[in-house]
Amino acid sequence: MTTTAPAKILVVQLARLGDIYQTTPALAALRRNYPSTEIHLLTRAKFAGAAPKEQIVNKHWVLNTRDVLAPLVDERPDIDASVKELETLCSQLRDEKFDRIVNLSFSSFSSFFIREIVSANSVVAGYTRFDDGTLSIPDDGSAYFYAQVGPERANRIHLCDLFAHISGVDLQDADWQLSFDAKAHASAVVNSTGARPIVVHIGASDLGKTLSWSKWLQVVKTLADSYEGRIVLVGSHEERAIAERASAVTGQASGAPLNLAGKTTLDELCAIVSKAALVIGGDSAPIHIASLANVPVLNLSLPMVSFWETGPRSKGSRIIRIESEEKISAQEIATEAFAMVNGRVPTLEVVRVPDRMMPYLETRPQPKVFEWEFLKSIYMSEPFPAPPHESFITGVERLIEVNTLAFEQIEALRRIPTNKTASAILDRVDEIMIQIQNLVPELQPLVTWFQVERMRLGPMELSDLINATESIHKQLSTVLEVYGAGSDEGNLEGEGRV
Amino acid sequence: MSQSGSQSENQSENKFDSAHDLQHFLKLAHAQVQSRRKKLEQAKDTHARQIRLLEELIREQIHLPGEKKP
């Protein structure tokens, strides 16, 4: 996937800690592919400690949100001072004249930010803005993210792989690497003898991504009752209070857990995680640190997150899908943890992580299996799956009618570009397609793909817009024809990708 | 820096550390920034882009609803 080495690349990751750790493999792959390229990274100052060290990144820029917003924290906000602070950073980045800018942030602010730092020769991947302020998604990987990524969607591509794809590189196992200050001695935990610690992170950036505190207390107590090694609690400063309560439980085997929540630097946290026998937690930074260090993870995955996208990658990890925490006991979680530490087979129906470069192994029936197969045919040239039910075909037939209607309006607009009726009908096509999708949810991957492709067109001359819109409708019709009237098994076996 | 200026700075710093006050001031600032941006856009002033960037940063900070997706 690599091309001619760019002289200077900027990777922008303005999200939180976990996202920075998940960006690390892509950065390492860029370094491996382009050893002589100047690789710059931009993160928020608050999360700067998670950035990989100098071996991978030549220059680390930070956006200090606090400095930008400080002049506004007043009865008479100094807007000009804030703008100046922000513009100073933009100007410095613009002056670097990056050949390539890769925005892996997927936020509104980041898209506006990228628009302000591109130079004439910059090739951008990731969200940015057209001159009129509308969202611009120049690359297919980011368009896939916009359309298909999220816990309610069928996507099963991990963010690490997607980040690499958007960065224009393929990952290798060696790209998962944890760089931290080796002198970080968080405590005797790192150098202690005997059984390696089990590290537990009871927090998350969002409460919906982890168990309730009372459940965690039960889990920690059960672990401490039976594990001979140390139970170490990690977390942020905000999580100190609950970790304090958890550390008060005295286990029969390992005594009181060691509470390091809010007491470690990120380097120290990395040192602790890399020495652990096991890391237990929801979707949070320690899980992603463990993936980089190849330390097994017992990931407790709640419905708010998609483990397919942000789950652990370290060899031997297991994921417990928890639909509701009432349905699983602390004892069951602890028993699974001990099974992992002792190299025994799973005691629960878990998702297994055989290796960082291999897909997850799932034994339970999965939701949205058809949608995922359909996604792969639309985006990745995989064969089209058989229709899941008769109403899917009915939905396709309705979409064919809408598509035909759209072609008629496009022709009408070609003849008379000022034809307002044709233009209005064409605008309604998107709405009708969403209504059809609401009736047949399995059509979501295709309908969303279509909407995002239309959105990506951006501002252009009317004649160009008509041609581009027609092209997208033609691509849509190639998929619809596979399932439409007169289709047979032969069509389904054909390769996809629109 | 004058005595009063220093005191003022300390007060701002305290406000920054109070999540409630921070939200309050940023919401006020957001309204003013948005208003200025709209005026600049109407006047086709290129500075509107820089103001828009600040507006988006504040919006993100105080979790104001924006586009459904960016």
Side-chain angles (χ1 to χ4, degrees):
Chain A
M1 200 190 285
T2 56
T3 53
T4 310
K8 204 183 274 190
I9 297 177
L10 173 67
V11 175
V12 178
Q13 180 49 276
L14 294 174
R16 304 173 70 90
L17 289 177
D19 299 272
I20 298 173
Y21 287 118
Q22 290 184 98
T23 299
T24 298
L27 286 164
L30 282 169
R31 169 55 66 227
R32 177 171 49 78
N33 279 282
Y34 307 126
S36 304
T37 294
E38 239 184 74
I39 299 176
H40 295 222
L41 173 67
L42 172 69
T43 67
R44 287 184 194 263
K46 187 177 180 182
F47 306 121
K53 303 290 183 268
E54 295 77 16
Q55 308 91 295
I56 296 177
V57 172
N58 298 94
K59 186 162 183 178
H60 182 191
W61 298 80
V62 294
L63 166 64
N64 196 324
T65 309
R66 191 183 170 108
D67 285 354
V68 174
L69 298 181
L72 304 178
V73 186
D74 197 280
E75 294 293 351
R76 284 177 295 176
D78 189 347
I79 296 172
D80 291 329
S82 281
V83 168
K84 189 179 174 189
E85 186 75 29
L86 206 45
E87 175 53 23
T88 299
L89 177 62
C90 289
S91 166
Q92 289 170 341
L93 288 168
R94 241 185 343 257
D95 289 346
E96 292 284 347
K97 295 185 171 40
F98 294 105
D99 304 283
R100 193 190 292 180
I101 298 176
V102 182
N103 180 15
L104 300 177
S105 314
F106 305 108
S107 68
S108 183
F109 168 74
S110 74
S111 64
F112 282 99
F113 188 85
I114 299 300
R115 180 174 72 162
E116 298 308 309
I117 64 170
V118 290
S119 60
N121 297 322
S122 300
V123 174
V124 175
Y127 295 179
T128 180
R129 292 275 156 176
F130 290 112
D131 282 340
D132 70 350
T134 55
L135 181 66
S136 166
I137 310 181
D139 62 299
D140 290 344
S142 299
Y144 178 88
F145 185 100
Y146 186 96
Q148 312 294 354
V149 170
E152 73 286 2
R153 297 287 163 84
N155 172 53
R156 296 186 186 181
I157 299 177
H158 197 280
L159 281 196
C160 289
D161 297 310
L162 201 46
F163 285 172
H165 178 78
I166 294 167
S167 302
V169 288
D170 290 322
L171 294 183
Q172 293 181 1
D173 187 63
D175 296 325
W176 267 269
Q177 46 186 274
L178 183 62
S179 58
F180 61 95
D181 181 0
K183 293 174 188 164
H185 298 292
S187 69
V189 174
V190 177
N191 299 313
S192 65
T193 54
R196 291 158 69 200
I198 291 179
V199 171
V200 182
H201 180 219
I202 59 179
S205 60
D206 192 302
L207 290 179
K209 293 181 177 180
T210 187
L211 299 177
S212 68
W213 294 351
S214 58
K215 193 76 169 190
W216 271 121
L217 291 180
Q218 294 170 31
V219 172
V220 171
K221 167 72 174 152
T222 313
L223 289 169
D225 273 345
S226 302
Y227 189 59
E228 296 292 339
R230 204 72 193 264
I231 307 297
V232 179
L233 306 177
V234 296
S236 67
H237 188 77
E238 291 77 18
E239 293 153 2
R240 282 182 74 167
I242 178 60
E244 205 66 55
R245 285 174 61 191
S247 66
V249 301
T250 303
Q252 293 167 8
S254 62
L258 178 62
N259 176 20
L260 295 180
K263 299 174 185 172
T264 59
T265 63
L266 283 174
D267 276 344
E268 289 166 341
L269 178 62
C270 289
I272 293 165
V273 167
S274 64
K275 294 284 184 180
L278 179 70
V279 176
I280 306 177
D283 179 14
S284 63
I287 300 302
H288 306 307
I289 293 172
S291 290
L292 295 176
N294 215 13
V295 168
V297 169
L298 179 59
N299 178 215
L300 310 180
S301 181
L302 283 105
M304 189 178 173
V305 294
S306 165
F307 65 82
W308 297 103
E309 294 169 356
T310 56
R313 297 291 293 258
S314 32
K315 184 176 181 178
S317 294
R318 297 176 189 176
I319 301 162
I320 305 177
R321 296 166 57 200
I322 301 176
E323 285 153 21
S324 159
E325 69 173 41
E326 290 77 32
K327 292 184 179 173
I328 189 165
S329 70
Q331 184 62 55
E332 286 175 308
I333 294 170
T335 302
E336 190 62 46
F338 297 139
M340 290 182 70
V341 171
N342 296 315
R344 293 199 300 264
V345 295
T347 57
L348 298 170
E349 280 190 312
V350 295
V351 180
R352 302 182 71 165
V353 185
D355 189 86
R356 286 196 286 214
M357 299 303 293
M358 291 173 67
Y360 292 150
L361 294 176
E362 169 64 292
T363 51
R364 279 169 62 181
Q366 280 293 307
K368 297 184 185 291
V369 169
F370 171 81
E371 285 93 325
W372 169 234
E373 296 299 322
F374 197 25
L375 258 185
K376 288 194 287 183
S377 60
I378 295 168
Y379 286 91
M380 303 164 214
S381 306
E382 299 271 334
F384 285 97
H389 44 65
E390 194 58 35
S391 57
F392 179 84
I393 298 296
T394 307
V396 167
E397 287 168 355
R398 297 291 83 78
L399 286 178
I400 288 172
E401 290 166 8
V402 173
N403 200 31
T404 304
L405 179 68
F407 281 125
E408 290 168 3
Q409 308 320 305
I410 288 167
E411 278 311 308
L413 281 169
R414 263 210 187 96
R415 287 193 299 273
I416 308 171
T418 54
N419 187 331
K420 289 183 178 172
T421 307
S423 181
I425 293 173
L426 207 50
D427 284 343
R428 290 294 305 279
V429 161
D430 280 12
E431 295 171 34
I432 300 168
M433 287 178 70
I434 290 172
Q435 288 173 6
I436 295 170
Q437 174 202 292
N438 290 340
L439 294 170
V440 187
E442 289 85 354
L443 286 166
Q444 176 270 319
L446 181 62
V447 172
T448 315
W449 165 83
F450 174 83
Q451 290 174 316
V452 173
E453 290 308 303
R454 290 252 288 146
M455 187 198 72
R456 288 177 74 188
L457 294 179
M460 60 177 75
E461 294 290 328
L462 182 62
S463 58
D464 292 336
L465 187 61
I466 291 171
N467 290 337
T469 304
E470 182 184 49
S471 171
I472 296 170
H473 275 282
K474 280 181 178 172
Q475 292 175 67
L476 174 66
S477 68
T478 62
V479 177
L480 297 174
E481 283 167 8
V482 172
Y483 292 104
S487 69
D488 53 30
E489 288 298 311
N491 285 356
L492 293 175
E493 286 168 7
E495 282 203 337
R497 192 177 175 93
V498 288
Chain B
M1 182 181 288
S2 68
Q3 179 71 17
S4 58
S6 176
Q7 283 170 347
S8 169
E9 188 176 74
N10 285 338
Q11 282 166 4
S12 290
E13 193 68 11
N14 291 339
K15 286 168 189 166
F16 216 111
D17 287 334
S18 157
H20 178 75
D21 282 351
L22 185 60
Q23 290 282 316
H24 165 73
F25 283 111
L26 290 183
K27 279 179 183 168
L28 287 177
H30 182 265
Q32 292 188 29
V33 169
Q34 191 173 48
S35 169
R36 187 191 287 194
R37 189 256 302 169
K38 285 179 179 174
K39 283 178 190 165
L40 288 170
E41 280 179 350
Q42 279 175 353
K44 299 195 184 303
D45 190 318
T46 53
H47 289 96
R49 281 170 55 147
Q50 295 171 345
I51 297 284
R52 179 64 190 262
L53 188 59
L54 178 62
E55 183 184 335
E56 288 297 322
L57 184 63
I58 305 170
R59 185 203 300 276
E60 190 176 82
Q61 205 68 20
I62 55 179
H63 310 293
L64 280 180
E67 294 157 287
K68 191 179 170 203
K69 273 196 171 186

